[in-house]
Amino acid sequence: MTIPASFIQELIARADVVEIVGRYVQLKKAGANFMGLCPFHGEKSPSFSVSPTKQFYHCFGCGVHGNAIGFLMEHAGMGFVEAVHDLAGQYGLQVPEDDASPAERARAANQRQKQATLTDVLEKAGEAYRKALRQAPGAIEYLKGRGVSGEVAKQFGIGYAPAGWRALASVFPDYDDPLLAESGLVIVNTEDGAEDAKRYDRFRDRVMFPIRNVKGECIGFGGRVLGDEKPKYLNSPETPVFSKGRELYGLYEARAAFRERGYALVTEGYMDVVALAQLGFPNAVATLGTACTTEHVQKLFRFTESVVFSFDGDAAGRRAARKALDGALPYATDVRSIKFLFLPAEHDPDSFIREFGADAFARFVQEATPLSRFMIEAAREGCDLTTAEGRAHMSSNARPLWSAMPDGALKRQMLSEIATLVQLDAKALSELWAATPGPRKAAAAPAPRHSGEPGDPFDYPDMPPPAEYEPPRYESDSGSKPRGKFIKGKRWGGKFEAPIEPLRGRGKPPSRPDVAVRLLLSNMAQWEALSHELHVMLCDLPGQHGALFTWLDSQLHEHGVQPWAALREGMRGLDFEPLAERLMSVSEAAPVPEGEEDQHLADAVKELSSVLDFMLDDRLKAQQSEAIAAVGTDPKALERYKALEARRLELRTRLKPSGA
């Protein structure tokens, strides 16, 4: 779905960012703007400013900024389309959908109306359950026995479902309303097709935990029995608004705490989340009676860069952790932290904290098992590494785990560690896992780009200057045969470097931002793997390059990872369309030979990393110049300059060719 840019502009112009932000942040008038405590990082004095004239928010502490749509995306964890629809609904606007047929628009509108209606029904039931709790001494006694205060019970909206079979009939006058069954509140039992279906409440005599989406809307319930009846926990069924594989209990309540504490703690049950909030750990969430999925992990990483999974130390806890590992591996990038916490078999988080204290639990979390170590433990389980057979078995176990990881330094370190354990070198293990029949010609790693111009930030004094040569490279026009024209290249550190292929119709090779555009449009998944620093650097580029990368980031939030063909359709009519079309024509003119797809992808990832490192160095160099200019007025400028120099030195070490 493409939402017209004109509508977005109209929506931002009509929306009041002070009103939107004010629903989540307590704001006070301060001159022309409003100030409050930043919801994105912990602070004691307000540095979060909201401008009613600019319709923009900015935090002077952590640097986060944006408009009303951006706030809903960042604070509520919504995708772009979801945020636009949510904001438009608040102002009575209908979101136009350029590429949708009238029938598709009607279906989408009906679906949104159905979801809103179901949410209203569930909210009404939740309010009834909360009222019923006040007259349920058994449920109140149970919650007190678990140490839950009235304040925390109110925060999580905890209630009680009465013991009667049709208690909701007093809440909903039309107990036969199909919405009650569709929302999962009522069960309809036809018993062999009998005409008079029997209806009764799904939840009876249970403490009720409302399950909320990131907007705070009730989308389902979890109910716990007061005694030892089975099942102990009962969840709402799958509905148009609720899916166990995508939702996390407590996410709405824990979002701000993720940023304050620096991590999300994933537990196994509703009471774990509530008890942890009571005991000083409000950053806990729980899966809903199902294994942790990739959707769960992806949702968590929209709010934090660090996740700790907490499990019992028994066999069942280990099995649950193993499934969580499978869900987490695709998101184990170099800038994220994933750990696994195994409590003693006799404890859950609640009992552990009550016996040993909050500080002991915090230390336990800090010392949790990193993903890298747990992955090794999972791979070597049941393998005798003193035998060749056992080591081969471990190699077989490790391969799918390692393959699921995104490319990066962590993945490459894991390859080396696994190779050491199975007594192979990393190259041999990589070739074994590649499982490509027949001899395979190794492709040379792309050499770092070097402009050869005076003042190049990576013009190392111990490296020979570029030397001209003429390798037999061809350039060709679309639809024509190679014309046999040689293209000049350069010598880099005593090794020949293949030049970047000139763009058709252009006489000069592409710039580094050009190369980054081509590689990221060819493989959009790499955008998600980049650090926040690189995202900011690319989006801040001047002109069409920065606009293109900003658009690409919004496309990921809106549609997820897309192929170039889909991206091409999405950018039609935008200012940077000709730039992207021109750059991608190079990739389209050079198809990847059959059987070399994996190697081509690996080379592209390496090339992107190299190009971005050079671009980052340029950015750091500019920041150094600013720091030097401020030395006379800013006492911390020199310290800032030295820190930037250390960063640049680290980049030089990484980019400098070995043996040079």
Side-chain angles (χ1 to χ4, degrees):
M1 179 184 71
T2 302
I3 301 175
S6 58
F7 176 79
I8 301 298
Q9 293 172 350
E10 178 188 354
L11 180 60
I12 294 298
R14 186 173 299 194
D16 182 0
V17 71
V18 176
E19 178 188 355
I20 300 301
V21 174
R23 296 174 185 174
Y24 305 91
V25 181
Q26 186 174 354
L27 298 174
K28 292 184 178 180
K29 196 79 165 66
N33 298 332
F34 290 79
M35 298 293 294
L37 296 177
C38 179
F40 302 107
H41 80 285
E43 60 179 11
K44 295 182 179 179
S45 58
S47 62
F48 186 76
S49 173
V50 184
S51 170
T53 56
K54 297 179 180 178
Q55 286 297 300
F56 209 73
Y57 66 87
H58 178 83
C59 177
F60 295 96
C62 66
V64 65
H65 59 273
N67 55 29
I69 294 175
F71 184 83
L72 291 175
M73 293 173 65
E74 290 294 328
H75 188 265
M78 301 181 191
F80 176 75
V81 173
E82 185 182 6
V84 170
H85 277 285
D86 184 86
L87 193 61
Q90 296 180 40
Y91 290 92
L93 298 178
Q94 178 66 39
V95 180
E97 301 168 5
D98 278 354
D99 55 354
S101 67
E104 290 172 334
R105 294 181 189 179
R107 281 196 297 271
N110 290 337
Q111 178 69 8
R112 286 192 292 271
Q113 181 60 43
K114 172 62 71 66
Q115 291 174 342
T117 304
L118 288 176
T119 300
D120 289 343
V121 169
L122 291 163
E123 290 282 6
K124 188 174 182 179
E127 180 61 32
Y129 291 145
R130 286 189 286 275
K131 289 181 179 179
L133 178 63
R134 301 168 193 164
Q135 287 81 41
I140 294 174
E141 190 64 29
Y142 168 80
L143 291 171
K144 287 183 176 179
R146 296 298 300 264
V148 179
S149 68
E151 182 181 353
V152 170
K154 181 179 180 181
Q155 176 189 354
F156 285 90
I158 297 174
Y160 171 71
W165 285 88
R166 296 166 64 95
L168 288 178
S170 62
V171 179
F172 298 95
D174 183 7
Y175 193 72
D176 292 332
D177 188 340
L179 287 173
L180 294 181
E182 193 169 356
S183 65
L185 293 171
V186 167
I187 294 175
V188 180
N189 187 358
T190 58
E191 289 188 354
D192 299 326
E195 293 183 4
D196 296 328
K198 295 182 179 179
R199 289 174 171 263
Y200 54 92
D201 294 356
R202 179 180 299 274
F203 300 101
R204 304 178 305 280
D205 193 22
R206 290 177 180 267
V207 175
M208 298 297 289
F209 301 85
I211 302 166
R212 296 163 171 159
N213 61 18
V214 292
K215 294 186 288 185
E217 299 169 336
C218 182
I219 56 175
F221 290 96
R224 192 201 188 280
V225 295
L226 299 178
D228 296 325
E229 295 84 0
K230 301 296 182 181
K232 181 184 294 186
Y233 286 98
L234 181 65
N235 289 323
S236 290
E238 300 281 317
T239 71
V241 295
F242 174 62
S243 172
K244 290 187 292 185
R246 291 196 297 267
E247 302 297 338
L248 290 159
Y249 177 72
L251 180 62
Y252 173 74
E253 292 81 3
R255 296 165 306 153
F258 290 165
R259 299 183 177 97
E260 294 169 4
R261 292 303 184 102
Y263 68 96
L265 181 62
V266 184
T267 61
E268 295 186 83
Y270 307 104
M271 280 308 305
D272 287 335
V273 173
V274 174
L276 283 167
Q278 179 76 54
L279 295 169
F281 291 87
N283 53 323
V285 297
T287 54
L288 299 165
T290 184
C292 188
T293 66
T294 55
E295 288 85 356
H296 289 142
V297 179
Q298 184 181 32
K299 182 167 288 190
L300 286 169
F301 279 128
R302 292 165 71 174
F303 297 94
T304 180
E305 294 296 312
S306 181
V307 175
V308 178
F309 294 98
S310 175
F311 298 99
D312 295 339
D314 57 13
R318 287 276 171 174
R319 287 194 298 271
R322 180 64 178 78
K323 293 178 180 178
L325 175 66
D326 290 336
L329 282 171
Y331 300 97
T333 66
D334 296 343
V335 296
R336 290 170 176 164
S337 170
I338 301 170
K339 294 183 177 181
F340 295 83
L341 174 68
F342 296 99
L343 294 169
E346 66 276 13
H347 283 294
D348 58 22
D350 181 10
S351 64
F352 186 94
I353 294 173
R354 293 185 186 281
E355 181 170 342
F356 299 105
D359 291 341
F361 185 75
R363 288 194 300 272
F364 209 42
V365 170
Q366 186 66 29
E367 297 167 0
T369 304
L371 175 140
S372 57
R373 192 192 312 162
F374 185 57
M375 175 178 159
I376 293 294
E377 292 175 3
R380 68 183 297 172
E381 185 177 3
C383 302
D384 181 0
L385 299 189
T386 63
T387 67
E389 291 83 357
R391 294 190 292 272
H393 189 185
M394 178 184 173
S395 170
S396 178
N397 291 344
R399 179 182 178 182
L401 302 176
W402 183 85
S403 298
M405 298 177 68
D407 191 38
L410 177 61
K411 184 174 185 177
R412 299 182 189 189
Q413 290 180 77
M414 293 304 299
L415 178 66
S416 298
E417 188 169 343
I418 295 167
T420 299
L421 289 170
V422 300
Q423 296 185 15
L424 292 171
D425 61 53
K427 182 179 179 182
L429 182 60
S430 179
E431 291 175 350
L432 174 66
W433 282 350
T436 303
R440 180 170 183 166
K441 184 178 180 181
R449 303 299 181 196
H450 188 283
S451 69
E453 300 297 331
D456 187 292
F458 291 95
D459 194 6
Y460 303 115
D462 57 338
M463 298 186 66
E468 299 294 333
Y469 81 111
E470 293 189 342
R473 290 282 305 277
Y474 295 99
E475 64 179 8
S476 61
D477 295 321
S478 178
S480 65
K481 296 181 179 179
R483 295 181 294 162
K485 179 180 178 180
F486 290 118
I487 301 173
K488 292 186 177 181
K490 295 177 181 178
R491 184 184 297 272
W492 171 267
K495 300 179 181 179
F496 287 126
E497 177 199 6
I500 302 175
E501 181 179 345
L503 300 177
R504 290 173 287 176
R506 299 279 174 171
K508 60 180 181 180
S511 64
R512 287 171 184 151
D514 285 343
V515 175
V517 167
R518 174 174 57 81
L519 294 172
L520 286 166
L521 289 180
S522 299
N523 182 15
M524 187 184 179
Q526 282 302 306
W527 178 263
E528 192 172 18
L530 300 182
S531 67
H532 177 71
E533 181 182 37
L534 293 177
H535 281 172
V536 172
M537 177 188 75
L538 292 173
C539 291
D540 284 350
L541 288 173
Q544 294 181 357
H545 290 92
L548 192 154
F549 285 122
T550 301
W551 175 84
L552 187 67
D553 186 58
S554 70
Q555 287 293 295
L556 184 66
H557 285 292
E558 182 177 346
H559 299 294
V561 175
Q562 303 173 79
W564 159 240
L567 293 171
R568 176 68 186 84
E569 292 302 314
M571 64 174 62
R572 291 194 183 279
L574 300 179
D575 290 343
F576 47 79
E577 177 190 359
L579 171 68
E581 180 77 1
R582 177 170 59 84
L583 294 172
M584 290 302 292
S585 66
V586 176
S587 297
E588 294 168 350
V592 181
E594 186 176 353
E596 296 185 15
E597 294 85 358
D598 290 345
Q599 186 63 48
H600 177 80
L601 178 60
D603 289 346
V605 170
K606 293 177 183 177
E607 183 180 7
L608 176 63
S609 176
S610 175
V611 166
L612 294 181
D613 279 344
F614 277 109
M615 292 175 65
L616 181 58
D617 183 82
D618 288 338
R619 184 179 177 91
L620 296 174
K621 186 178 181 181
Q623 292 173 354
Q624 278 186 309
S625 299
E626 295 174 2
I628 288 296
V631 166
T633 57
D634 185 354
K636 294 185 178 180
L638 187 58
E639 180 180 347
R640 195 160 61 247
Y641 176 88
K642 291 179 179 179
L644 291 167
E645 183 60 24
R647 292 285 315 281
R648 293 191 67 208
L649 181 60
E650 178 187 352
L651 284 176
R652 290 192 188 100
T653 303
R654 187 158 70 237
L655 286 167
K656 187 175 179 180
S658 59

